[in-house]
Amino acid sequence: MLDRFLDTGLIAMQFMLVAKDHGYDTNPMTGFDAAGFTKILNLDAQRYQPLLLVSIGKAAVAGKMADHQPLSTLVDYR
């Protein structure tokens, strides 16, 4: 199962990078109702297992950088 998540992440990363290169914004999403998603799209549950959703589009408003703590407050080098 772990290799499926790794493969999914690598594919999603490439998709997101290509989308960005073409001027689109993306957002990966986990924690969704996979069974419900499978049912809505009428997917074969024996063959397909939704692991990750990626939204794609153009932002209505430009995003802003998140406020993060300085690394020096989180890490102590010795």
Side-chain angles (χ1 to χ4, degrees):
M1 181 62 133
L2 182 59
D3 56 332
R4 282 191 216 158
F5 285 106
L6 178 61
D7 291 345
T8 300
L10 291 171
I11 292 167
M13 176 186 66
Q14 285 301 114
F15 173 74
M16 293 169 73
L17 289 171
V18 169
K20 190 64 166 173
D21 194 46
H22 284 82
Y24 291 94
D25 298 302
T26 59
N27 188 43
M29 297 172 278
T30 59
F32 58 93
D33 178 6
F37 185 80
T38 301
K39 187 174 181 178
I40 289 170
L41 292 180
N42 197 26
L43 298 174
D44 179 0
Q46 299 299 318
R47 183 172 180 189
Y48 300 106
Q49 179 184 10
L51 299 174
L52 177 72
L53 298 178
V54 178
S55 65
I56 182 170
K58 299 239 179 185
V61 179
K64 65 175 187 142
M65 293 297 294
D67 294 326
H68 294 283
Q69 293 183 18
L71 188 59
S72 60
T73 64
L74 303 171
V75 178
D76 183 24
Y77 297 99
R78 295 182 189 190

